[in-house]
Amino acid sequence: MKILTAEQIRELDKFTIENEPISSFELMERAAGNCYDMLPFDDFFWFESTVYVCGKGNNGGDGLAMARRQSVEDPEVIVILIEHTKEGSTDFAHNLYLLEEEGKVPVFRVRNMKDFPNIESSALVVDAMLGTGLSRPLDGLLAEVVCHLNTLENRIVSVDMPTGLFADDNSTNNMDTVIRAYQTNTFHCPKMSLL
């Protein structure tokens, strides 16, 4: 089994984009499609809706692409967008544009916890806030959202990494602000922290 560091994974993505060749957006679409295919809909027949909780980086872009794909056949999809930073990544912004252009999926923008909508207990929650780039413990709005989600009884599936978990070394991390995922659909290969 190969285990790569977060930096090696970034280099692998860069190599793939340059040598396949494929655009970063197309690579995100491919990853999101594979991640969507691994969602545990068949395991839990009682899911009545899916809630994608997205950050504004590429992990959030993956979540938006998954929500867009699901909305083609399932109207019970919502997105909760955590406004933890002013600007989003380029591929995130493109996916948000496509999602809003289609107009099928409601997007709730959360700037503070008062904005956070109620999540029905029958919903599957997809955590697409942060991925492998995190290297410091969460604080502020993201920490509040993670702590709130961890109090819910919903099944949570994380995209690539549970939000709040560092890819490589968590010895300095505050594990109270890490998503307690039921399942993590990771890309490429396992990250050290998942083992």
Side-chain angles (χ1 to χ4, degrees):
M1 175 188 308
K2 293 182 180 178
I3 301 172
L4 304 179
T5 65
E7 180 57 35
Q8 289 170 321
I9 290 167
R10 280 189 286 279
E11 289 299 316
L12 181 60
D13 281 347
K14 182 179 174 188
F15 180 85
T16 302
I17 289 166
E18 292 172 357
N19 292 281
E20 189 161 323
I22 188 173
S23 72
S24 61
F25 179 77
E26 292 167 326
L27 186 61
M28 178 178 284
E29 290 288 294
R30 179 192 298 171
N34 289 331
C35 193
Y36 174 77
D37 289 340
M38 292 187 289
L39 290 177
F41 296 122
D42 294 336
D43 297 344
F44 301 100
F45 62 89
W46 45 265
F47 289 144
E48 294 180 6
S49 61
T50 308
V51 177
Y52 290 85
V53 185
C54 299
K56 295 180 76 173
N58 285 346
N59 196 262
D62 292 325
L64 295 176
M66 292 168 68
R68 211 174 71 245
R69 176 172 170 177
Q70 185 175 350
S71 71
V72 171
E73 50 198 48
D74 181 0
E76 299 301 319
V77 178
I78 70 165
V79 166
I80 300 174
L81 178 57
I82 309 304
E83 298 276 2
H84 61 97
T85 183
K86 187 174 181 181
E87 298 294 324
S89 72
T90 301
D91 291 334
F92 161 84
H94 187 57
N95 261 309
L96 182 61
Y97 170 79
L98 292 174
L99 186 77
E100 292 182 327
E101 196 58 18
E102 289 176 2
K104 295 179 183 176
V105 178
V107 177
F108 297 88
R109 294 175 183 269
V110 174
R111 291 176 180 83
N112 59 62
M113 288 307 292
K114 292 178 186 173
D115 300 332
F116 202 93
N118 182 52
I119 297 177
E120 298 294 330
S121 60
S122 58
L124 173 66
V125 176
V126 178
D127 157 35
M129 290 180 280
L130 297 176
T132 58
L134 186 66
S135 59
R136 60 182 178 83
L138 294 182
D139 58 12
L141 180 58
L142 282 169
E144 291 180 79
V145 170
V146 166
C147 289
H148 173 68
L149 291 175
N150 283 340
T151 67
L152 303 179
E153 294 183 3
N154 302 70
R155 296 285 191 191
I156 301 176
V157 175
S158 289
V159 175
D160 200 22
M161 296 281 301
T163 292
L165 193 65
F166 305 164
D168 303 321
D169 177 6
N170 283 274
S171 60
T172 61
N173 200 356
N174 176 4
M175 299 305 283
D176 290 335
T177 55
V178 174
I179 284 288
R180 292 189 209 111
Y182 166 78
Q183 175 178 311
T184 300
N185 297 346
T186 197
F187 305 137
H188 299 300
C189 57
K191 282 64 177 177
M192 182 63 77
S193 60
L194 297 179
L195 304 177

